């Protein structure tokens, strides 16, 4: 009986932690979606503004922040507060 309660408690804790982690990570885009979006941004903004460094900044921002990602100072990408 004691073992059954311990397993149930462990399952509850694990489920709670996974749910919290999932909720915290749910705002960002998938890598594939971020890549597609940044490919479109690169075409729209042109090569003078959109360097390789800008492209990676764009992808990271959309993966981390999703819709909260914003372009600032022309070609910089940051998570909106």
């Amino acid at each position: 009986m004691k073992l059954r309660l311990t397993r149930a408690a462990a399952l509850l804790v694990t489920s709670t932690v996974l749910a919290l982690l999932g909720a915290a990570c749910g705002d960002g885009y998938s890598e594939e979606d971020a890549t597609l979006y940044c490919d479109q941004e690169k075409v729209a903004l042109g090569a003078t503004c959109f360097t390789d460094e800008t492209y990676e900044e764009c992808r990271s921002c959309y993966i981390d922040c999703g819709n909260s990602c914003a372009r600032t100072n022309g070609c910089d990408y940051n998570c909106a507060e």
Side-chain angles (χ1 to χ4, degrees):
M1 180 73 167
K2 194 173 193 180
L3 182 60
R4 191 176 292 175
L5 288 176
T6 304
R7 285 183 183 169
L11 181 60
L12 178 63
V13 169
T14 303
S15 298
T16 303
V17 169
L18 290 175
L20 290 173
L21 288 174
C25 298
D27 293 339
Y29 290 177
S30 68
E31 287 188 28
E32 183 179 324
D33 288 344
T35 299
L36 291 172
Y37 190 84
C38 293
D39 285 347
Q40 293 172 356
E41 288 276 290
K42 186 175 184 177
V43 169
L45 294 173
T48 40
C49 180
F50 218 86
T51 63
D52 289 342
E53 183 178 326
T54 307
Y55 185 80
E56 288 307 315
E57 187 178 276
C58 177
R59 285 187 73 250
S60 294
C61 186
Y62 281 102
I63 289 169
D64 293 342
C65 307
N67 289 334
S68 297
C69 183
R71 193 172 67 231
T72 57
N73 298 326
C75 296
D76 295 328
Y77 288 84
N78 297 296
C79 296
E81 300 283 328

